[in-house]
Amino acid sequence: MEIKKIRKHRRFFRARRSLDRRHRQLSGLLARFQPLLGWLRKHLGFLRFLNPKRYVKILDWYIIKKFIGTYFFSIALIISIAIVFDFNENLSKFTQYHAPWRAIIFDYYANFIPYYSNLFSPLFVFIAVIFFTSKLAGNSEIIAMLAAGVSFKRLMRPYMISCVLIAALTYYLGAYEIPHGTVIRQDFEALYRNNTKNTAADNVQLQVDKGVIAYIQHYDNNTKKGYGFKLNKFEDKKLVSDLTAMEVQYDTISDTKFHWRMRNWKQRKLQGLKEHITSGAEKDTVILMEPTDLVYSKGQQETFTSPELREYISKQIDRGSSNVVQYQVEYHKRIATSFASFILTVIGLSLSSRKRKGGMGLYLGLGLALSFGYIMLQTVSATFAINAGAPPMLAAWTPNMVFAIVAYFLYRKAPK
């Protein structure tokens, strides 16, 4: 043999011998851990049910891609139309108040799009299900799936997986991200659309702590300053301290909350028949109240994240305030809206899975009617909670309960 071929053969032999040696070492290592692997397989065998490949097959991926793609396509289409109409309606106001293009694009429409996309997410889910499922039925794809032995219940699996993803995204955006953008959008509307925003309050009285009552004659939220301030402390229904000040100023640059600065203050401490009076020009103090406790503007509950809403509701209930219903409705509505995706998906699939001669026009019309009915029922129930004293949680979940009954009967009828 030539020397070159001998060297090539030698290199191949050495590589093969090294590979065999490592294979024997790995086999010996696995043999040592064989009892441990057997124990894990015996006691942790239920973990195989957590493997996504066990549930998501080729058919599921096909429907999930169709669902998610149509969902985002419907959002892009309808929101684009909404932006055109909104811009045409507000162009005169933008021109009148000299709104800069940068603020219009990045402050208004950059927050307009996610807000309304998330607000009408159940509508977009319903439209997406109706649209692409009707198309599948029109192409006889659903007939082929059912003929292959796929049950209607099994057909719903990819729809429900898609709903889990959409519901999680909807709740996260509505509870944590969109409230920050809503603040910017509302400030823009107050500046350039002449939307009056409540920035002052008169004769505000609230309980800031147990037995401690605060009163402000007038408060201006723009300057974070109040006039005619009084703080009374009671013990066993008896007045023990009376603190008055001409002005109070909220400290916006402090590292912690509840810092106020009083000017021209005077404090009377009552001890039986005696009283001790102190006064001064300025004083820094901690009072358990914030500007958001004093001034309420329309839509303010939408500017709070869910943890902030929960904290605010708890604080206001402890103070005995009755102005928390709209906050409670908003908190429960964010959760209920996420679950609405499942209910409307079942309705949409049950309605559009059958092949009809009329095409998808009837399904789209019926889907839009049901979606707007859901939104109208949601608005009406929220109004009942705020103005008629209905339980906020019941008001937020009433549309889901009503449409869940509709979804159940349609689901039972669809396989037939």
Side-chain angles (χ1 to χ4, degrees):
M1 297 178 65
E2 298 178 0
I3 298 298
K4 188 182 294 186
K5 291 184 178 180
I6 293 176
R7 288 176 177 173
K8 182 179 179 180
H9 176 75
R10 183 170 177 269
R11 285 195 301 267
F12 174 77
F13 175 75
R14 292 181 64 182
R16 179 65 181 270
R17 185 175 60 182
S18 177
L19 184 63
D20 291 342
R21 187 185 302 115
R22 292 179 181 179
H23 181 264
R24 288 194 298 269
Q25 292 175 353
L26 182 61
S27 300
L29 188 63
L30 290 176
R32 293 180 182 179
F33 288 97
Q34 195 65 33
L36 178 60
L37 293 176
W39 183 88
L40 292 174
R41 191 180 298 109
K42 179 180 179 181
H43 293 85
L44 301 180
F46 66 92
L47 293 178
R48 68 180 182 273
F49 294 102
L50 302 179
N51 186 7
K53 293 183 180 180
R54 184 182 179 90
Y55 305 100
V56 183
K57 307 298 182 181
I58 296 177
L59 176 63
D60 300 316
W61 280 117
Y62 176 71
I63 295 178
I64 289 172
K65 290 177 183 178
K66 290 275 188 180
F67 193 162
I68 301 296
T70 309
Y71 171 74
F72 285 107
F73 175 76
S74 62
I75 289 178
L77 180 63
I78 297 177
I79 291 297
S80 299
I81 298 173
I83 289 174
V84 171
F85 280 99
D86 184 82
F87 182 77
N88 185 50
E89 181 183 353
N90 296 306
L91 181 59
S92 59
K93 291 185 178 180
F94 293 158
T95 306
Q96 179 183 355
Y97 293 99
H98 306 287
W101 283 105
R102 182 180 180 85
I104 293 174
I105 296 173
F106 294 102
D107 291 348
Y108 183 64
Y109 284 111
N111 297 302
F112 175 94
I113 294 172
Y115 174 78
Y116 285 100
S117 299
N118 199 71
L119 179 65
F120 297 111
S121 179
L123 171 64
F124 298 135
V125 168
F126 203 27
I127 291 176
V129 172
I130 291 287
F131 185 81
F132 89 88
T133 306
S134 299
K135 193 172 181 180
L136 292 179
N139 295 335
S140 301
E141 293 182 61
I142 292 184
I143 295 177
M145 296 175 192
L146 297 176
V150 178
S151 64
F152 190 78
K153 182 179 180 180
R154 172 64 180 83
L155 184 63
M156 288 186 63
R157 181 188 296 177
Y159 287 86
M160 294 296 103
I161 294 174
S162 302
C163 285
V164 169
L165 301 176
I166 294 174
L169 178 64
T170 301
Y171 178 75
Y172 173 75
L173 292 176
Y176 296 98
E177 297 298 333
I178 292 178
H180 301 298
T182 304
V183 176
I184 301 174
R185 182 176 56 84
Q186 289 183 355
D187 291 340
F188 176 90
E189 292 176 348
L191 285 174
Y192 302 113
R193 287 185 56 183
N194 198 25
N195 285 6
T196 56
K197 189 176 181 180
N198 190 17
T199 59
D202 295 317
N203 300 322
V204 180
Q205 183 173 349
L206 71 157
Q207 180 177 325
V208 297
D209 200 359
K210 186 177 180 180
V212 181
I213 308 298
Y215 172 80
I216 298 180
Q217 185 176 359
H218 178 77
Y219 177 77
D220 186 0
N221 196 45
N222 291 328
T223 59
K224 300 291 189 285
K225 185 181 292 186
Y227 305 91
F229 176 74
K230 179 179 287 190
L231 189 70
N232 293 331
K233 184 177 181 181
F234 295 88
E235 290 182 1
D236 297 329
K237 299 182 180 180
K238 292 182 179 180
L239 182 65
V240 296
S241 176
D242 176 64
L243 176 64
T244 59
M246 294 292 293
E247 293 182 6
V248 286
Q249 176 78 49
Y250 186 70
D251 191 355
T252 57
I253 61 174
S254 176
D255 295 334
T256 56
K257 299 187 294 184
F258 311 126
H259 276 247
W260 295 82
R261 176 171 294 177
M262 297 186 294
R263 295 183 178 91
N264 298 325
W265 61 275
K266 182 170 69 173
Q267 185 176 19
R268 297 168 55 236
K269 291 185 178 181
L270 305 177
Q271 300 174 351
L273 299 178
K274 298 180 181 181
E275 65 177 0
H276 179 67
I277 300 177
T278 55
S279 61
E282 287 192 2
K283 181 181 181 180
D284 290 335
T285 184
V286 174
I287 305 173
L288 299 180
M289 65 179 184
E290 296 180 273
T292 54
D293 302 330
L294 305 175
V295 179
Y296 172 76
S297 58
K298 184 179 179 181
Q300 180 178 339
Q301 66 274 12
E302 297 176 353
T303 63
F304 291 170
T305 63
S306 288
E308 292 172 347
L309 267 178
R310 188 166 54 246
E311 180 183 357
Y312 182 85
I313 291 169
S314 177
K315 183 171 61 176
Q316 293 298 101
I317 291 176
D318 292 339
R319 291 174 175 174
S321 175
S322 59
N323 190 27
V324 295
V325 178
Q326 56 266 34
Y327 296 91
Q328 292 174 321
V329 171
E330 177 66 21
Y331 178 79
H332 293 294
K333 188 174 73 173
R334 292 176 181 178
I335 304 174
T337 302
S338 301
F339 279 92
S341 302
F342 297 93
I343 299 172
L344 295 178
T345 296
V346 174
I347 295 176
L349 175 60
S350 302
L351 287 175
S352 58
S353 59
R354 182 181 298 178
K355 184 176 181 180
R356 295 181 183 272
K357 293 183 180 180
M360 67 178 68
L362 176 64
Y363 297 126
L364 285 176
L366 185 60
L368 288 173
L370 287 173
S371 299
F372 283 114
Y374 176 86
I375 295 171
M376 184 184 69
L377 183 59
Q378 193 179 54
T379 304
V380 170
S381 61
T383 304
F384 268 104
I386 296 173
N387 298 326
M393 186 174 181
L394 179 63
W397 284 90
T398 295
N400 283 3
M401 291 187 290
V402 172
F403 277 78
I405 297 173
V406 177
Y408 174 75
F409 283 105
L410 290 177
Y411 170 73
R412 293 293 301 270
K413 186 178 179 181
K416 302 177 184 179

